[in-house]
Amino acid sequence: MQKIILCGNVGKKTEIVKFGDREKLSFSLACTTRDKVTTWYNILSNAIKLQQHITSGKQLIVIGDFVAKTSQGKDGKTYMNLNVYAESIEFVGQKQ
């Protein structure tokens, strides 16, 4: 796996997903370049306790393992899923 460092804003509301007997925190992160191109990443983390603090619009730095996978949509198109298995999550920006 490749390591990646992302700085972006939380998209959808966080949710707890189950993998067998384990639970993970799941949310999306939008990272925008200087050229105004936005890329969305799916973040999975063991940090369940952070769920109440990770809300839509919050700016975060996420460090973790990066995995890109393709999948076939119901419409027949091929989509790229960009997943990050977070090792570290840091809050940046103004405190609220």
Side-chain angles (χ1 to χ4, degrees):
M1 285 191 216
Q2 298 174 327
K3 292 283 185 212
I4 192 168
I5 300 171
L6 301 171
C7 182
N9 295 310
V10 176
K12 69 176 183 172
K13 181 180 176 185
T14 59
E15 55 187 16
I16 304 295
V17 292
K18 292 191 179 224
F19 293 95
D21 62 345
R22 293 185 169 187
E23 292 183 333
K24 302 262 185 197
L25 182 64
S26 173
F27 60 94
S28 60
L29 192 72
C31 300
T32 305
T33 66
R34 292 183 185 137
D35 299 330
K36 306 292 184 210
V37 176
T38 301
T39 303
W40 288 89
Y41 296 87
N42 301 311
I43 311 295
L44 283 172
S45 172
N46 290 323
I48 305 283
K49 293 179 181 180
L50 292 179
Q51 182 180 19
Q52 65 186 12
H53 303 289
I54 298 176
T55 56
S56 183
K58 286 268 182 152
Q59 189 175 30
L60 302 176
I61 294 174
V62 176
I63 301 171
D65 293 323
F66 175 72
V67 178
K69 296 181 181 179
T70 58
S71 63
Q72 192 84 17
K74 292 180 183 178
D75 57 4
K77 293 181 182 177
T78 301
Y79 293 92
M80 180 68 68
N81 297 308
L82 306 175
N83 302 309
V84 176
Y85 300 97
E87 294 174 1
S88 172
I89 298 173
E90 293 184 36
F91 294 86
V92 294
Q94 295 182 347
K95 293 184 180 180
Q96 295 181 3

